[in-house]
């Protein structure tokens, strides 16, 4: 009979072996990184507006013919503890846009352009202005606590925007890819320069720098970024 022929018998079924890999929970695939530089605007509107505002505030200093006139401008706009406590709270704002000289102005504006462009790209234009303003006020309060004044300069608020960008990259370091990291070295060099300058120039306040940097870090860590809501992922080959 056919059943007696071993060549005609059906093959024995292979036993099913259950392994640990089969029982393990499926792991979620990490989303692709977002290319930070993709779509960045080189003409950030609000950052350029802040730069223009700083330039306008510098006109009285630039056009002054005598050192006494420059000093008078600063004494009317700088943070001076006794003046602020006497009710001249508007100095907390005007001091953010005043600069000692042209080199002070240009250095701060170059840094503001870089960090402002990054901040607008990550969070949006109005959030950048809010960060500049809030961190500037925080630095002003820090200045009042430890420095009698006078104190002027946008560098503190720029420190705040820088802190916001650092906070963003730190919190979302596993979601964002930054192609060119040399910009970070340039900003680090600027920050060190500002701190060293603050040690020798009485009208530049390091307390404001530190206060605004910390405030910016907190904002950058907590503020929801607009960039990640778009989720424009990096291509599989690493190119935009």
């Amino acid at each position: 009979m056919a059943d007696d022929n071993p060549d005609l018998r059906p093959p024995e079924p292979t036993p099913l072996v259950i392994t640990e890999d089969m029982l393990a929970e499926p792991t979620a695939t990490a989303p692709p990184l977002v290319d930070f530089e993709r779509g960045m605007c080189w003409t950030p509107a609000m950052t350029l507006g802040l730069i223009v505002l700083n330039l306008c505030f510098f006109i009285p200093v630039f056009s002054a013919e005598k050192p006494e006139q420059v000093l008078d401008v600063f004494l009317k706009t700088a943070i001076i503890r006794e003046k602020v406590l006497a009710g001249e709270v508007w100095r907390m704002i005007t001091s953010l846009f005043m600069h000692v000289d042209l080199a002070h102005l240009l250095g701060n504006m170059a840094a503001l352009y870089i960090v402002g462009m990054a901040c607008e790209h990550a969070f949006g234009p109005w959030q950048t202005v809010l960060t500049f303003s809030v961190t500037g006020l925080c630095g002003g309060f820090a200045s009042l606590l430890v420095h009698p004044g006078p104190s002027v300069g946008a560098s503190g608020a720029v420190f705040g925007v820088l802190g916001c960008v650092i906070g963003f990259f730190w919190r979302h370091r596993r979601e964002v890819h930054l192609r060119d990291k040399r910009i970070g070295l340039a900003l680090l060099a600027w920050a060190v320069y500002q701190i060293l300058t603050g040690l020798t120039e009485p009208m530049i306040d390091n307390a404001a720098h530190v206060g605004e940097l910390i405030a910016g870090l907190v904002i950058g860590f907590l503020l929801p970024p607009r960039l990640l809501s778009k989720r424009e992922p990096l291509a599989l080959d690493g190119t935009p």
Side-chain angles (χ1 to χ4, degrees), residues 35-221:
D35 184 355
F36 185 76
E37 281 94 337
R38 180 191 294 177
M40 181 180 290
C41 178
W42 294 95
T43 55
M46 290 302 177
T47 298
L48 293 178
L50 289 172
I51 291 174
V52 170
L53 192 57
N54 277 271
L55 294 175
C56 291
F57 269 78
F58 189 70
I59 291 177
V61 179
F62 184 76
S63 60
E65 298 179 355
K66 299 179 180 180
E68 295 80 6
Q69 294 175 320
V70 175
L71 181 60
D72 184 61
V73 171
F74 288 136
L75 292 179
K76 291 179 179 178
T77 57
I79 292 180
I80 302 175
R81 182 187 296 164
E82 60 180 14
K83 297 289 186 179
V84 174
L85 296 180
E88 298 181 7
V89 294
W90 40 266
R91 292 174 177 268
M92 303 287 287
I93 300 297
T94 57
S95 63
L96 295 176
F97 301 97
M98 299 302 302
H99 292 84
V100 175
D101 53 32
L102 186 60
H104 186 204
L105 172 70
L106 295 180
N108 283 346
M109 293 306 97
L112 176 59
Y113 172 74
I114 296 173
V115 298
M117 177 170 56
C119 192
E120 283 199 39
H121 184 58
F123 294 103
W126 291 109
Q127 290 87 337
T128 300
V129 174
L130 179 65
T131 299
F132 183 93
S133 303
V134 171
T135 58
L137 290 175
C138 290
F141 285 118
S143 177
L144 287 177
L145 292 175
V146 301
H147 194 280
S151 176
V152 296
S155 54
V158 178
F159 265 88
V161 180
L162 173 61
C164 183
V165 174
I166 293 174
F168 164 80
F169 279 115
W170 175 255
R171 181 181 180 185
H172 304 286
R173 60 191 181 277
R174 294 184 177 87
E175 303 172 75
V176 177
H177 171 70
L178 182 64
R179 286 183 245 163
D180 191 353
K181 297 177 175 60
R182 291 175 297 178
I183 186 175
L185 296 176
L187 292 174
L188 177 61
W190 171 84
V192 171
Y193 168 77
Q194 290 294 335
I195 295 293
L196 294 178
T197 304
L199 295 176
T200 59
E201 174 55 60
M203 299 187 76
I204 302 175
D205 189 359
N206 279 337
H209 292 166
V210 175
E212 287 161 317
L213 179 63
I214 294 174
L217 286 170
V218 173
I219 292 175
F221 197 83

